[in-house]
Structure formats: C-alpha cells, structure tokens
C-alpha cells in the first residue's frame, strides 16, 4: 500500500500519517520525492483498511501496490534515487546524472599490495576503492581473505588516500565489522538471497551495494533489495555482475539489458561489474563502454598492479594504467548522455 501526500503537505502531517500506520501494527516508510512525499506501508499480510488513512490531512490518495516489490519501485518514488556516500574526501554521488567508479583488487592480499594499487589508482580520479577482506570462494581450499586484518588494511588505504571503501560482508558477523571499517557494504552474488544478511544490511547505517545472484531473475533481484529497504536502509545500489547461461566463452554473461529494465521499474541506481561479468581482462574495457552507454550508474572494476601474481581473479584484473584509459573513454560516453563521473 502506498499513501501519496499532497505536494504542500507539512512534515507534521507526514509524521501523523506514519504514526497512524504504526499504530495499526504496520511499518511506515516516508520516501520524499522532488514533488511530494510517498509513504510505503509494509508488514501487512492482507489488505489494509484505508478508510482511516485516506481522510487524514495532507493525504491525496491511497494506492494498492500490486507488484511484489514496493519500496524499490518507481511507484513510490518517480525520480532516480541519488545515493550519497560520505568519504574522507567528500561525498560521492551515485545515480541521476552521477556515475561512480569503484576500482581495486579482487582481494585484500597484503598492505603493500593494497597501498600500491591505491597509489596508482589515485591519479585516475576514482574515489571508491574496492577489495575483499572476506572472500566467498567456490573451494574451501582457495584463499578466503584476511578478515579483520584485511579491513584494517583497507582503513589504512582510506586514511592515506581519502578513498571511500567498498568491501563485502559474507555473514552477520563480518557485516558488523564491515560497517565499522568501510563506507559501503557489498553483498555478493552468492549471498543475494541470504535473507538474514539482507535484513542485517537493512539495519546498517551505511549504503549497500547489492550484487545480482548468478541465476537471479529481475524480480528476485529487486525483491532482495526490497528486504534491505524494508528494514529502513534506503541507500541501496544494485550491481549487475553477469549471470549463468549456456554461453561458454566467458565466465558469466553480462546482462546489460537488465540496466534499462531496472530503470523502468525502480528508482535505485544500478552499477555494472564487467570484471566478474566477463572473467577476462580483454573484455573489461569494451563492456565498460557498453555499460555506461546503456545507462549504468557506475562501474565496479577489478584492478591489480601485478595480476599474474594475484591471489584471486588475476585473469580478469586490469592494470592501473588500463583503468586510467578506461576512465578517459567512459567519461566521453557519459558526456554524450549529459552525465558526469565522480
Ligand atoms: C567481488 O566483487 O569480489 C565478488 C566476489 O563478486 P560476485 O559476488 O559478483 O561474485
Ligand atoms: Mn573477484
């Protein structure tokens, strides 16, 4: 159910409607838009009795939402959400006219490795640094990440270079720590339907980057995001990272058509990860160009100064210099679309 408030409704009127909703044992989510505020109602298993709400001051109408997702839907918020990521060097904006770049190694391996990559990335203008301290690996015998020690290394990168840190949480325990050390919590493809983790991310105070599961439909992807918003964290960015198909020439099939499909249904920004999406270094640049051309709100790219010795995903990691030319190219494509990279 969605309550649409009048454009001139006061904050007190919005608050009163929210309180009435809560008094019915339901949860109210006031989502301000540029023209008006909409209030999403969750927690109702059946139809809510609208009578009481429709007659309240400041309310225009009550609309039943038939789609399974509500808060992520454009019905609740017509315009694009712009997510603000506070970093030591100022806010990074994602969505609307703003395209964000995230770059760094697949995994945090050593302090020296991260500082070297970070140093080389600094001059490219990228402001968000990625690197996994917790690695969800297919084999239990593969490098699992440095855990807390990795988070501490990332916080040195943050302090020394001013990057915002994007890093993955694989369970509720690691999420507690990621929330303390990082600026964005990444939920990986393998955890897209880990509902307890999604709910915990929904209670976090920092933005979340939610990757699409490798066999997730669009509805499943949006419903996973809905879990996070329904707990009160509206700062969610989606990320397409390739899905499993019969195509056998790349690690995954990067589903770029999902970008306009998401934009049609949801106000949330969507980034594209051409590294996991292809699994091959030579495909990262062309697919990055295509992603920005198709309307992606950002790119997540694996970059390593020595890919041949990387502990994970070396074959899809590009060099810092290659990333610098990638940024130059996608900047030109973004300009055609009247968008800027920050
Ligand atoms: C990653 O970005 O480090 C990662 C593990 O990606 P995904 O969850 O998309 O496989
Ligand atoms: Mn990786």
């Amino acid at each position: 159910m969605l309550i649409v408030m009048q454009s001139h409704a006061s904050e007190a009127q919005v608050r009163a409607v929210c309180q009435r909703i809560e008094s019915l044992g339901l949860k109210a989510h006031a989502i301000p838009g540029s023209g008006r505020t909409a209030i999403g109602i969750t927690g109702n298993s059946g139809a809510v009795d609208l009578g009481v709400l429709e007659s309240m001051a400041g309310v225009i109408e009550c609309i039943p939402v038939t789609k399974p997702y509500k808060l992520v839907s454009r019905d609740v918020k017509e315009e694009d959400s712009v997510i603000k990521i506070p970093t030591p060097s100022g806010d990074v904006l994602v969505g609307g006219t703003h395209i964000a770049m995230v770059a760094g190694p697949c995994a945090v391996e050593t302090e020296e490795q991260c500082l070297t990559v970070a140093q080389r990335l600094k001059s490219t203008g990228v402001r968000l640094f990625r690197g996994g301290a917790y690695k969800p690996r297919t084999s239990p015998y593969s490098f699992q990440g440095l855990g807390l020690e990795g988070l501490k290394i990332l916080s040195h990168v943050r302090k020394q270079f001013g990057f915002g840190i994007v890093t993955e949480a694989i369970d509720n325990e690691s999420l507690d720590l990621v929330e303390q050390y990082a600026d964005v919590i990444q939920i990986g493809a393998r955890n897209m339907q880990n509902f307890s983790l999604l709910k915990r991310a929904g209670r976090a105070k920092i933005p979340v980057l939610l990757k699409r599961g490798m066999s997730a439909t669009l509805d499943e992807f949006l419903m996973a995001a809905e879990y996070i918003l329904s707990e009160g964290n509206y700062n969610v960015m989606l990320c397409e990272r390739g899905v499993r198909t019969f195509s056998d020439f790349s690690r995954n099939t990067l589903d770029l058509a999902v970008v306009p499909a998401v934009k049609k249904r949801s106000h949330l920004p969507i980034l594209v990860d051409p590294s996991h999406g292809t699994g091959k270094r030579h495909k990262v640049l062309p697919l990055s160009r295509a992603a920005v051309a198709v309307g992606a709100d950002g790119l997540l790219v694996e970059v390593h100064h020595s890919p041949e010795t990387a502990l994970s995903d070396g074959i899809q990691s590009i060099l810092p210099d290659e990333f610098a030319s990638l940024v130059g190219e996608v900047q030109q494509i973004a300009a055609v679309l009247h968008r800027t990279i920050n």
Side-chain angles (χ1 to χ4, degrees), residues 130 135 168 186 188-190 211 241 273 276 300 302:
R130 62 146 291 148
K135 296 303 301 173
E168 181 166 352
Q186 179 174 320
R190 289 155 192 81
K211 300 189 89 176
R241 48 78 73 206
D273 169 356
H276 295 89
L300 181 85
E302 286 188 341

Side-chain angles (χ1 to χ4, degrees), residues 30 65 136 144 165 185 188 207 218 271:
V65 179
Q144 303 285 311
I165 300 295
I185 301 162
L218 176 53
L271 283 72

Side-chain angles (χ1 to χ4, degrees), residues 180-222:
Q180 284 174 41
Y181 284 89
D183 301 283
V184 176
I185 301 162
Q186 179 174 320
I187 307 271
R190 289 155 192 81
N191 273 313
M192 192 206 79
Q193 285 190 315
N194 180 339
F195 301 118
S196 66
L197 185 62
L198 296 173
K199 285 187 193 172
R200 172 63 186 88
R203 293 190 295 273
K205 301 280 177 289
I206 60 173
V208 176
L209 178 79
L210 175 67
K211 300 189 89 176
R212 181 181 182 185
M214 56 188 87
S215 61
T217 63
L218 176 53
D219 268 8
E220 287 165 347
F221 192 16
L222 292 174

Side-chain angles (χ1 to χ4, degrees), residues 166-177:
V166 180
T167 195
E168 181 166 352
I170 53 171
D171 49 27
N172 289 15
E173 201 184 347
S174 54
L175 198 146
D176 289 345
L177 292 167

